[in-house]
Amino acid sequence: MWRPLRLCYFHSELLRSRRKPWPSPGAFFGKPLWGLPPRDSGTASSSPRAWRPTPLWRRALAAAVVGLPLLLGVRYATAEAREKRKLRLLVDGVGRFGRSLRIGLHISLDYWWCANVVLRGVEENSPGYVKVMSACHQRAADALVLGAIHNGGLYVKLGQGLCSFNHLLPPEYIKTLRVLEDRALGRGFREVDELFLEDFGALPQELFQEFEYEPMAAASLAQVHRAKLHDGTAVAVKVQYIDLRDRFDADVHTVELLLKLVELLHPSFGFSWVLQDLKGTLAQELDFEQEGHNAERCALELRHFPYVVVPRVHWDKSSKRVLTADFCEGCKINDVEAIRSQGLALPDVAEKLIQAFAEQIFYTGFIHSDPHPGNVLVRRGRDGKAELVLLDHGLYQFLDQKDRTALCQLWRAIILRDHTAMKTHAATLGVQDYMLFSEMLMQRPVHLERLWSSPLLSHAEAAYMQDMARSHFDSIMEVLRALPRPMLLVLRNINTVRAINVALGTPVDRYFLMAKSAVRGWSRLVSTAYQGVYGSSLLRHLRVFWETLKFEAALRLETLAMRLAALLVRFLAHLGLVQKTEELYQYLET
């Protein structure tokens, strides 16, 4: 006879509290994602310890968190060296974006806090205001340098570009960002060996008699090693960072996104279009074979300047990622003490620099677009005078004859005070506000009376340009957008040369030298144009001579007016009518 099984109270409660087995997968697809429906309240499952199924989205998320890194790890372990590098770049790219975004937001909030909280109610030019803003500028500059060095590549290149704007940016930025001109985050010797094996199928020790793995300099795109060929020739070997080509497009897109975010937060600072237009030109710097050809063309076109030295390229030891050229000693062109220690004169150095690059801008049209101090060395020549060693020929811009002629004629019209011609030639370059464009081109007031009317008289040229940039920022942006794209890098060249001249103490009149180069370039260009108009060579030369004579006379009168103005300012300062400042005196007298 069947008898029911009885359990004690302890075992009965134990069975009731036991969890049910895990349901089959099919049970979940017919039920809501947030779990199974609750059981009857009368059952044991209604107790606080009752089991509830985990929601499907949580299980999917947990699987992704555990499975994705596991899959990536397996993929990385089984991949080849090149594929491993791309996987590392994928992870590093996220880190670079996050780092850049964090730095940008930190700087923006720091400025907002200082302007709206710390300095609220404080007079703008008071000592307390200047002290707080100076500290804020320094924090921002330090953060930019640290971020650029860690991110490398394009970020260092952008930081180098900011160094030339020493007439617009606070001095804290310029002083701090200068470390980017020849310093960046170097790479290890194993990466160098890996690149040589990929490009040459041999290690550096096999290609060179001597090769120093410790780099002489680490720049934005590459690091430079000193080496010696088997014939004993000392060379500099420029080795591109092995991952640069793979990460360049991603970095460009990242910077574009960051610039768009800046535009969203600060609508007046719209610079994303500049990177969009120039990224093709910047990508050319990744091809070291093209850089070698640029160097040879530069040497050919400036061969009539005996003081210009372009290192000779050794093509058998070069590739698209490795460039080997003669090693040239020298100091950076803005190192005043090192130049003087060689017994060289600063005016001679500055004049040769301006003449060499003015020749490219106004005549040859093949323009070095990155002549920062780290790319221009100074050494003592055989004649005891300065020689300029031009390095890093990766970034060049060609200005066609039409735009080059218009630029020469615009510069000439500015000197002659011919407003009709200024307007015409600026329009040829696509700019309507010819007066603003002329001052951007000259990096100084076109008319002396504009300097007198400036409320920042005591700060002379630099303060005038800073005041103009603040008060006409939107107009300046319109002018830049209207210009032919090659002119943007031409303006960078002009501004960088101006910054170097200032770093040397303004020993020569850049305005005068650039103007003379412009009229020389114009005379050579117009001489060809007049060939079909004037029947005889004599009449053609007389025409050019007359135009040049008028220009020289106007330029001499301008120089005389500036010197007389300097005497007038000294006299007014002596009477106590204007503030004494040596900067203004020097500016007017040169």
Side-chain angles (χ1 to χ4, degrees):
M1 180 177 177
W2 177 83
R3 297 177 60 183
L5 180 66
R6 290 189 177 185
L7 299 175
C8 68
Y9 177 79
F10 174 78
H11 288 89
S12 177
E13 289 298 320
L14 183 64
L15 288 174
R16 287 180 182 179
S17 62
R18 187 180 63 181
R19 295 184 179 183
K20 290 189 176 182
W22 188 269
S24 65
F28 289 100
F29 291 100
K31 299 181 180 182
L33 290 178
W34 51 83
L36 298 173
R39 300 173 185 173
D40 295 336
S41 58
T43 65
S45 62
S46 60
S47 64
R49 294 184 179 181
W51 170 77
R52 294 181 184 274
T54 305
L56 180 60
W57 66 269
R58 287 188 179 178
R59 292 198 298 275
L61 180 61
V65 170
V66 175
L68 187 59
L70 183 62
L71 288 175
L72 288 176
V74 173
R75 175 61 178 164
Y76 183 83
T78 58
E80 297 180 354
R82 193 182 294 268
E83 189 67 23
K84 286 182 178 180
R85 190 164 66 237
K86 291 183 178 181
L87 290 173
R88 287 197 302 268
L89 285 175
L90 179 63
V91 177
D92 291 343
V94 176
R96 289 194 302 274
F97 174 78
R99 185 184 299 114
S100 303
L101 182 62
R102 174 178 56 81
I103 290 173
L105 291 175
H106 181 269
I107 292 174
S108 182
L109 290 174
D110 194 9
Y111 274 107
W112 181 89
W113 180 263
C114 288
N116 295 279
V117 178
V118 179
L119 297 176
R120 187 174 182 179
V122 180
E123 188 177 351
E124 184 171 349
N125 292 321
S126 64
Y129 182 93
V130 172
K131 182 179 180 180
V132 170
M133 289 307 299
S134 176
C136 185
H137 293 328
Q138 189 62 57
R139 290 194 297 271
D142 291 338
L144 286 175
V145 167
L146 188 62
I149 291 176
H150 277 87
N151 286 344
L154 182 63
Y155 297 90
V156 175
K157 175 83 38 198
L158 295 175
Q160 290 173 350
L162 291 175
C163 294
S164 60
F165 290 91
N166 60 357
H167 62 307
L168 296 178
L169 292 176
E172 293 83 2
Y173 278 87
I174 304 304
K175 183 179 179 180
T176 307
L177 291 172
R178 277 181 182 153
V179 302
L180 297 177
E181 291 174 352
D182 56 0
R183 283 180 55 195
L185 196 62
R187 306 295 180 89
F189 71 93
R190 292 182 180 177
E191 182 176 304
V192 175
D193 286 345
E194 184 180 348
L195 188 142
F196 268 83
L197 287 173
E198 290 180 5
D199 283 19
F200 300 101
L203 295 172
Q205 301 94 319
E206 302 173 36
L207 295 176
F208 301 95
Q209 180 182 335
E210 296 178 8
F211 186 88
E212 296 180 5
Y213 278 99
E214 186 67 27
M216 300 163 45
S220 57
L221 308 180
Q223 57 191 27
V224 182
H225 300 262
R226 189 166 185 171
K228 186 178 290 186
L229 300 179
H230 290 291
D231 63 1
T233 304
V235 293
V237 184
K238 184 177 180 180
V239 182
Q240 189 176 115
Y241 299 133
I242 195 169
D243 58 354
L244 193 63
R245 287 172 174 265
D246 297 327
R247 60 177 279 189
F248 185 80
D249 289 336
D251 282 350
V252 168
H253 292 316
T254 298
V255 174
E256 281 183 326
L257 178 59
L258 292 174
L259 289 175
K260 288 178 181 178
L261 290 176
V262 171
E263 289 181 28
L264 185 63
L265 296 173
H266 308 282
S268 60
F269 288 87
F271 289 101
S272 59
W273 61 272
V274 178
L275 185 61
Q276 181 68 30
D277 290 331
L278 295 181
K279 63 182 179 182
T281 305
L282 292 172
Q284 295 177 8
E285 287 195 88
L286 303 182
D287 187 351
F288 284 1
E289 289 181 349
Q290 182 61 47
E291 179 176 345
H293 293 304
N294 291 343
E296 292 183 337
R297 180 173 175 179
C298 173
L300 179 65
E301 293 181 345
L302 299 181
R303 65 186 183 278
H304 55 286
F305 290 142
Y307 54 81
V308 173
V309 178
V310 178
R312 177 171 56 98
V313 177
H314 297 270
W315 289 107
D316 60 327
K317 299 292 189 298
S318 299
S319 67
K320 287 189 175 295
R321 296 188 294 177
V322 177
L323 183 65
T324 303
D326 287 345
F327 178 80
C328 295
E329 295 280 1
C331 65
K332 291 172 62 174
I333 195 169
N334 62 349
D335 191 342
V336 175
E337 294 302 322
I339 293 174
R340 286 175 174 164
S341 67
Q342 299 181 64
L344 302 176
L346 295 180
D348 181 52
V349 173
E351 183 174 350
K352 288 176 176 177
L353 174 76
I354 294 169
Q355 287 178 343
F357 287 118
E359 178 77 3
Q360 291 185 332
I361 293 171
F362 297 119
Y363 185 61
T364 70
F366 191 60
I367 304 164
H368 194 310
S369 301
D370 195 20
H372 67 76
N375 290 338
V376 183
L377 304 181
V378 179
R379 70 181 189 183
R380 187 181 181 89
R382 295 179 180 178
D383 59 354
K385 296 183 179 180
E387 286 184 348
L388 304 182
V389 181
L390 303 186
L391 307 175
D392 195 353
H393 299 269
L395 186 59
Y396 266 73
Q397 184 65 63
F398 182 73
L399 195 63
D400 62 36
Q401 184 170 340
K402 173 178 170 290
D403 292 337
R404 200 159 65 248
T405 302
L407 185 61
C408 290
Q409 290 176 318
L410 175 60
W411 209 291
R412 175 176 172 273
I414 293 172
I415 301 299
L416 297 176
R417 299 294 186 265
D418 187 346
H419 286 262
T420 302
M422 290 166 62
K423 187 175 182 179
T424 300
H425 300 312
T428 303
L429 293 171
V431 178
Q432 299 302 319
D433 192 344
Y434 71 93
M435 184 59 71
L436 179 61
F437 177 53
S438 298
E439 294 197 338
M440 291 171 58
L441 192 63
M442 295 286 184
Q443 295 295 312
R444 53 159 286 170
V446 170
H447 294 303
L448 196 59
E449 57 269 19
R450 292 172 70 88
L451 182 61
W452 306 141
S453 62
S454 170
L456 300 172
L457 177 64
S458 61
H459 295 82
E461 179 186 284
Y464 174 83
M465 296 306 297
Q466 290 174 354
D467 184 53
M468 184 193 74
R470 285 192 296 267
S471 58
H472 299 88
F473 187 83
D474 293 336
S475 300
I476 290 174
M477 293 300 296
E478 291 179 8
V479 169
L480 292 176
R481 286 193 181 97
L483 283 172
R485 291 300 166 255
M487 277 298 299
L488 294 176
L489 290 178
V490 172
L491 287 175
R492 176 180 176 176
N493 178 291
I494 293 173
N495 193 54
T496 304
V497 172
R498 182 208 57 78
I500 294 174
N501 189 46
V502 171
L504 294 175
T506 320
V508 295
D509 185 3
R510 179 188 62 90
Y511 174 75
F512 181 86
L513 293 173
M514 291 284 287
K516 290 198 71 172
S517 296
V519 78
R520 278 199 303 269
W522 170 83
S523 66
R524 284 182 283 182
L525 293 171
V526 82
S527 177
T528 304
Y530 281 154
Q531 260 182 333
V533 179
Y534 296 96
S536 86
S537 176
L538 178 61
L539 289 177
R540 185 171 67 251
H541 285 298
L542 286 175
R543 172 73 176 179
V544 172
F545 174 75
W546 171 245
E547 295 293 339
T548 304
L549 185 63
K550 287 196 305 182
F551 175 85
E552 286 281 356
L555 191 57
R556 297 291 178 183
L557 288 174
E558 169 78 6
T559 303
L560 178 61
M562 296 293 280
R563 289 178 179 174
L564 291 175
L567 292 175
L568 176 61
V569 170
R570 288 184 181 276
F571 177 70
L572 294 175
H574 180 71
L575 297 178
L577 298 177
V578 298
Q579 183 180 357
K580 294 182 179 180
T581 170
E582 287 299 324
E583 294 179 359
L584 180 60
Y585 299 155
Q586 294 175 3
Y587 164 64
L588 293 173
E589 288 175 349
T590 57

